[in-house]
Amino acid sequence: MEKKNAFTITRARPENAAALLDYLKIVGGETDNLSFGAEGVPLAPEEEQAYLRTQVDSPDHVQYLARVDGELIGTASLNRKPGRMRHRGVFGISLKRAWWGCGAASALTEAVLAFARENGFAQLDIEVRSDNVRAIRLYEKFGFRKLCTFPAFFRIGGQDIDFDVMLLQLPQI
């Protein structure tokens, strides 16, 4: 099956809550690169729906979904920091393993970066496993640079996992 450019990117809506929670259980079970496992995130569908409702038309928070024939295959989010850190945002992204390498992660990243530019973000940061070469290459392609390493950021099965913090400076107009 040809996967390249077979996906669509849309902004998440409250009615996507249940599908998004199901998706997070799937990706959490496919990789140790996320802060959660196959249990997903500890939110009820109503809580996720309320969270997504706060993002509708928000200039501070956004979540994009990548879909193929209605199937949710990836998501990316950006959340603005409060107060004196309002110029900064935290970026997150995930993709079902079967769709790694198809271009959806780049398309999701481009959507987040466009949102960030349109809404006056100056800096974006992301946390990534230090050994996740594929993700690091993606972020570097878009201009992210490593700031530092957090040793033993995760502990999975008794093994300490280091994470890098990467930063993107956006030009200000």
Side-chain angles (χ1 to χ4, degrees), residues 125-169:
D125 63 71
I126 191 162
E127 297 167 349
V128 57
R129 273 182 72 137
S130 300
D131 61 356
N132 189 345
V133 176
R134 178 183 219 116
I136 291 169
R137 268 195 237 124
L138 171 73
Y139 308 142
E140 287 175 340
K141 176 175 101 172
F142 287 98
F144 283 83
R145 296 292 171 250
K146 178 179 168 179
L147 283 180
C148 63
T149 299
F150 281 101
F153 192 79
F154 279 0
R155 183 167 286 163
I156 302 174
Q159 179 185 4
D160 288 339
I161 309 293
D162 296 346
F163 264 64
D164 294 341
V165 174
M166 298 185 75
L167 176 77
L168 174 64
Q169 299 270 43

Side-chain angles (χ1 to χ4, degrees), residues 15-117:
E15 55 270 20
N16 302 130
L20 187 53
L21 290 173
D22 289 343
Y23 162 84
L24 293 172
K25 289 178 183 175
I26 293 167
V27 295
E30 289 181 337
T31 181
D32 287 334
N33 294 333
L34 302 170
S35 61
F36 54 89
E39 74 282 1
V41 295
L43 292 175
E46 300 78 25
E47 292 172 297
E48 180 69 7
Q49 192 172 42
Y51 170 72
L52 291 173
R53 198 172 296 114
T54 67
Q55 293 184 352
V56 174
D57 300 323
S58 171
D60 298 327
H61 310 284
V62 71
Q63 184 147 9
Y64 289 103
L65 307 177
R67 293 184 183 273
V68 173
D69 296 328
E71 175 191 358
L72 181 55
I73 65 160
T75 183
S77 63
L78 181 63
N79 291 289
R80 190 183 299 273
K81 297 268 194 182
R84 292 180 175 174
M85 296 181 290
R86 274 193 68 67
H87 64 290
R88 298 179 48 218
V90 177
F91 173 46
I93 187 168
S94 65
L95 200 65
K96 285 183 177 176
R97 184 179 294 271
W99 293 92
W100 290 2
C102 75
S106 289
L108 284 164
T109 301
E110 288 168 357
V112 165
L113 293 180
F115 176 88
R117 287 183 189 101

